[in-house]
Amino acid sequence: MLIRRPQPGDCAGIQPSEITDEQVYLDRRNLLRAALAMGVAGLGTAWPAGAVSGGAPLNAKRNPAFHVSDPPNSYDDITTYNNYYEFGTDKSSPAANSDRFKPTPWTVTVSGAAERTGKFALEDLLKPHALEERVYRMRCVEAWSLVIPWVGVPLGEVLKTFKPTANAKYVAFKTVLRPSEMPGQTVNVLQWPYVEGLRIDEAMNPLALLAVGLYGKTLPNQNGAPLRLVTPWKYGFKGIKSIVEIHFTEKQPPTSWNISAPDEYGFYANVNPHVDHPRWSQARERKIGSGLFASKVPTLMFNGYEQEVAGLYRGMDLAKNF
Ligand SMILES: Nc1nc2c(c(=O)[nH]1)N[C@H]1C(S)=C(S)[C@@H](COP(=O)(O)O)O[C@H]1N2
Ligand SMILES: [Mo]
């Protein structure tokens, strides 16, 4: 049996050393078979014509300051191979099991150390900001990577509208808790709801993005509709999906993977080829979509965003603060 059952405590269940290209191929084939069974047209194409969710056109202007030399992955790669444990622990689970999830209407509660707090409709939360398209390199802790054209607004610009006070040293995020629409939430692989957090200066860094879309269209459910975090210098698990709460706090907030396996997943989760995961190397990564026989490529410090974010961590021991 090629596909090992996920173990709690693994970020997505399998070690990268075990992820063979053949397995990727089989995952794809299974998904395609499932899609055919559901009568979904258009899977396997590069555009969301027949996608099961998301896909409403967004009016976003490309921000050329955020550009990657590699071409973006296909829509198919981005939306059919990822992690969203609320919909199951296999790479194909999010796309297969998220069709019952209802991302509209959506309300976000803002609380804690800020002058302006309360409940905000998603539209109001984003209103003061024009949507931007930004192409980011993304790196999962499991040593695979993708290039994704996100649509969103800079997180810091949104946070500033709430006027965080001097006590706002961190910002915490929470995913929606909806077991009736999220079958994975009936399984105890993680503590629900999923939670994440950033130090306030990390959150204010211009790279941090609140995303509402990809490839010019609203997010499909499996990628975190309708609102998710994108921090491309960190491992993928910091990118919390389907956010319903933003909380400003003085204390470092708990984070889901750190609660689950504190020795393996730290609060910072910065991409760092020199600090291995206790069970595997982080020195190299497999580019999704690079072909069955492509070899792994070196992972870059801060996933290639060293210039933008290294200053946030000056003087810190990154082996201790992993
Ligand atoms: N709520 C929630 N957010 C989540 C996850 C999850 O299981 N639940 N998985 C994380 C992990 S491990 C990764 S790699 C990314 C993958 O999704 P993406 O390709 O859409 O960024 O989502 C992250 N956000
Ligand atoms: Mo991940």
Side-chain angles (χ1 to χ4, degrees):
M1 181 72 186
L2 264 162
I3 299 166
R4 205 187 97 200
R5 293 310 305 165
Q7 308 291 312
D10 289 7
C11 180
I14 38 182
Q15 299 184 20
S17 57
E18 299 174 53
I19 303 171
T20 62
D21 291 326
E22 187 175 11
Q23 185 168 1
V24 174
Y25 170 72
L26 286 173
D27 279 353
R28 289 264 172 78
R29 202 180 57 175
N30 287 340
L31 180 83
L32 199 61
R33 204 184 292 135
L36 288 171
M38 290 188 298
V40 176
L43 268 167
T45 65
W47 202 252
V52 284
S53 62
L58 290 168
N59 193 7
K61 223 177 120 190
R62 178 86 183 269
N63 185 336
F66 302 94
H67 169 80
V68 172
S69 52
D70 283 341
N73 278 87
S74 69
Y75 189 83
D76 187 42
D77 281 341
I78 296 167
T79 60
T80 64
Y81 185 90
N82 68 352
N83 288 329
Y84 196 168
Y85 273 27
E86 283 83 341
F87 297 114
T89 52
D90 291 334
K91 296 288 180 292
S92 56
S93 305
N97 302 329
S98 60
D99 52 314
R100 251 189 302 154
F101 181 67
K102 297 215 163 42
T104 47
W106 197 260
T107 305
V108 178
T109 302
V110 180
S111 62
E115 285 176 30
R116 179 174 163 249
T117 57
K119 288 183 191 299
F120 302 89
L122 179 59
E123 299 71 37
D124 296 331
L125 193 83
L126 301 174
K127 204 184 275 164
H129 314 281
L131 292 179
E132 292 182 14
E133 181 178 72
R134 295 180 174 192
V135 182
Y136 281 163
R137 267 185 296 274
M138 306 298 295
R139 170 63 156 77
C140 176
V141 73
E142 291 171 89
W144 40 271
S145 64
L146 289 158
V147 174
I148 303 186
W150 296 110
V151 174
V153 298
L155 171 65
E157 296 301 315
V158 172
L159 296 186
K160 275 183 212 158
T161 67
F162 300 108
K163 300 195 164 75
T165 69
N167 290 334
K169 304 271 197 278
Y170 295 87
V171 57
F173 303 92
K174 195 178 279 181
T175 293
V176 71
L177 185 65
R178 251 187 230 177
S180 61
E181 296 176 26
M182 300 175 130
Q185 283 182 338
T186 62
V187 185
N188 286 328
V189 281
L190 285 175
Q191 190 178 293
W192 310 114
Y194 197 98
V195 290
E196 256 304 336
L198 296 170
R199 222 170 54 193
I200 195 77
D201 56 343
E202 297 182 304
M204 293 295 177
N205 186 278
L207 265 186
L209 192 73
L210 270 179
V212 295
L214 62 86
Y215 263 117
K217 314 228 170 185
T218 53
L219 289 171
N221 288 344
Q222 61 267 36
N223 293 87
L227 181 74
R228 53 87 49 86
L229 178 66
V230 177
T231 48
W233 71 99
K234 294 177 178 287
Y235 292 119
F237 67 87
K238 292 299 278 188
I240 182 171
K241 294 170 167 171
S242 307
I243 296 169
V244 287
E245 275 187 50
I246 297 176
H247 180 72
F248 296 99
T249 170
E250 186 149 29
K251 277 193 266 165
Q252 182 178 301
T255 62
S256 283
W257 278 103
N258 182 252
I259 295 169
S260 165
D263 300 339
E264 305 193 6
Y265 310 105
F267 175 80
Y268 284 96
N270 290 320
V271 175
N272 189 338
H274 313 300
V275 176
D276 288 338
H277 184 281
R279 290 184 285 133
W280 61 77
S281 166
Q282 293 292 15
R284 299 171 78 74
E285 66 201 48
R286 188 173 53 80
K287 290 188 187 182
I288 300 296
S290 61
L292 267 143
F293 305 103
S295 51
K296 290 187 173 185
V297 299
T299 286
L300 302 174
M301 189 64 201
F302 298 115
N303 200 29
Y305 296 101
E306 188 161 17
Q307 214 178 318
E308 290 89 336
V309 300
L312 293 168
Y313 312 103
R314 204 148 283 147
M316 284 175 71
D317 179 347
L318 297 181
K320 247 164 89 187
N321 299 285
F322 59 93

